[in-house]
Amino acid sequence: MIRFGIIGAGRVVSPRYVDVFTQELKDTSVVAVCDLVREKAVDVSARLGAEVAVDKEALLKRSDIDAVIIASESGKHFEHAKQALLAGKHVVVEKPPCMLPAQLDELVALARTQQRMFAPIFQNRYNPAMRAVKQAAQAGRFGKIVLATFRLRWCRYQDYYEDGWHGTWAMDGGVINQQAIHHVDALQWVCGPVSEVTAFKANALNKLEAEDTMIASLRFANGALGSMEATTAARPKDFEASLSIVGEKGLVVIGGIALNKIETWDFIERLPEDDTISLTHSQEVPTGYGLSHGPLLQDIVSRLNDGSLEPPITPESCRPTIELVHAVYRSIEDRMPVQLKDSPLSVRLGRG
């Protein structure tokens, strides 16, 4: 039985983690929840049958907690994950695992020293549709990849940015680091690494320090070209989160609102399962969070119960995602293309 504590009871934890812990996970429980807004912690803890911790320090001191889920503001993930590791807890951290690549390196080293698991959450890697396209890419079914793109067309109204941290440079960033980071991760996971970025941004409808709309042109190390298009200025709801890959031997489009549906799956060299793959690997999902937190968290729990400290999604595999976000922002800041080999860092993201 892996016993969890949760730091942060906001937008992600309330609807998604409550369902996962009460309906899906085995061999686990939530012991305590804390949040700066006590009412949120009270609400979530009641639904989970957990206690309310006075603060994160009190939660981390508890000997009946084995692992901690970090679901606080993005800009606090590094600090909170570090404190949890130093307290001897395994750490599960929501996206982004931290704001700067160097912070990720520090947490990886600390987890190794503390002999604890450090597990980032990029749940879309567990979507059946995404797993299918990853396997196809690994099997070489695309041949030479020609073009790889994603589009995110989601809706966030101004009140979303009025909580003091969403959309700020120090604590969050804009659409590319908050909402679209899942899709940045999916793109680089399947087709990366990226070698060059040219990006542009706008504040189309929402007022925030960072951007609500951005586009970027990419050159991949394998020679493919690509693009990223993301906005929270779609109205009146979330419409699309899609990934498309064009290769010399086939084309795939993963769509839906959470990379959850196989919309096109067409290869020159067909396999028997291709005829039914859109049915067997597509999901209906209620929100952009999708349905893969449960399988990913269950994998984490199973590994911990087996005595393994190797997370299902390694922090090292997430580093290119953080680097690509920084390259996008640095291109916007310098108004010019940037090379990933130069390790470009934003002068604002994670700094203010």
Side-chain angles (χ1 to χ4, degrees):
M1 176 69 70
I2 302 300
R3 302 163 298 178
F4 280 92
I6 298 178
I7 297 176
R11 186 183 179 95
V12 178
V13 169
S14 297
R16 193 67 198 105
Y17 277 87
V18 168
D19 288 345
V20 167
F21 274 101
T22 57
Q23 301 175 26
E24 300 180 38
L25 294 186
K26 300 177 181 178
D27 303 319
T28 188
S29 65
V30 177
V31 174
V33 179
C34 71
D35 193 279
L36 289 175
V37 181
R38 181 175 173 80
E39 291 77 11
K40 293 181 180 180
V42 169
D43 175 62
V44 170
S45 62
R47 287 188 280 163
L48 290 171
E51 298 179 25
V52 178
V54 175
D55 52 33
K56 68 179 185 302
E57 287 77 18
L59 185 148
L60 293 175
K61 288 179 181 177
R62 295 185 64 136
S63 60
D64 57 351
I65 289 177
D66 307 302
V68 175
I69 292 172
I70 308 297
S72 49
E73 302 93 328
S74 299
K76 293 182 179 179
H77 286 181
F78 169 68
E79 170 194 347
H80 292 170
K82 184 175 181 178
Q83 291 172 345
L85 288 170
L86 288 171
K89 312 300 184 186
H90 303 292
V91 168
V92 177
V93 60
E94 268 292 338
K95 57 78 189 169
C98 50
M99 301 289 277
L100 299 169
Q103 293 175 334
L104 188 74
D105 297 340
E106 184 176 341
L107 293 175
V108 168
L110 181 58
R112 188 177 298 116
T113 299
Q114 295 291 101
Q115 296 187 322
R116 293 294 182 267
M117 181 185 286
F118 171 46
I121 295 291
F122 278 108
Q123 75 273 7
N124 285 343
R125 294 196 195 183
Y126 271 60
N127 293 359
M130 284 303 306
R131 295 215 147 185
V133 73
K134 174 68 170 178
Q135 290 169 2
Q138 288 179 320
R141 295 196 66 192
F142 289 99
K144 179 182 179 181
I145 294 179
V146 177
L147 190 65
T149 70
F150 80 71
R151 295 195 308 192
L152 180 77
R153 295 172 176 178
W154 280 1
C155 176
R156 297 293 183 272
Y157 287 103
Q158 186 61 39
D159 62 337
Y160 176 84
Y161 298 102
E162 300 298 331
D163 61 3
W165 72 274
H166 274 122
T168 65
W169 286 116
M171 299 297 292
D172 187 25
V175 62
I176 192 65
N177 196 53
Q178 177 55 243
Q179 290 79 24
I181 193 169
H182 285 296
H183 314 89
V184 175
D185 183 73
L187 190 68
Q188 72 83 18
W189 182 54
V190 176
C191 300
V194 172
S195 60
E196 184 178 354
V197 177
T198 303
F200 303 89
K201 68 97 174 178
N203 292 86
L205 297 180
N206 298 303
K207 295 180 181 179
L208 60 153
E209 287 183 7
E211 82 293 343
D212 71 356
T213 302
M214 63 74 55
I215 59 171
S217 298
L218 311 175
R219 188 183 301 276
F220 291 86
N222 61 16
L225 299 181
S227 66
M228 303 189 294
E229 171 194 318
T231 187
T232 55
R235 298 293 185 262
K237 62 180 181 179
D238 293 351
F239 287 97
E240 176 186 3
S242 65
L243 171 71
S244 65
I245 302 173
V246 180
E248 64 174 332
K249 296 181 180 180
L251 184 149
V252 167
V253 178
I254 308 298
I257 61 169
L259 297 174
N260 55 291
K261 292 184 178 182
I262 295 179
E263 296 181 348
T264 302
W265 188 275
D266 201 348
F267 290 95
I268 294 173
E269 301 172 2
R270 295 190 63 78
L271 299 176
E273 58 266 29
D274 290 348
D275 293 334
T276 57
I277 198 165
S278 63
L279 295 175
T280 58
H281 287 72
S282 295
Q283 296 175 308
E284 293 294 335
V285 301
T287 70
Y289 295 127
L291 295 174
S292 294
H293 274 89
L296 175 51
L297 285 166
Q298 187 63 66
D299 198 352
I300 290 170
V301 168
S302 297
R303 289 174 184 234
L304 288 173
N305 278 325
D306 289 341
S308 173
L309 299 180
E310 181 75 10
I313 297 175
T314 66
E316 292 87 349
S317 75
C318 301
R319 199 180 199 279
T321 300
I322 298 173
E323 292 173 332
L324 184 50
V325 168
H326 272 272
V328 166
Y329 278 131
R330 189 56 182 264
S331 175
I332 291 169
E333 291 159 1
D334 291 351
R335 299 186 180 185
M336 62 185 296
V338 298
Q339 304 289 326
L340 272 292
K341 65 179 177 59
D342 296 328
S343 301
L345 292 176
S346 169
V347 298
R348 294 177 293 187
L349 182 63
R351 310 169 194 272

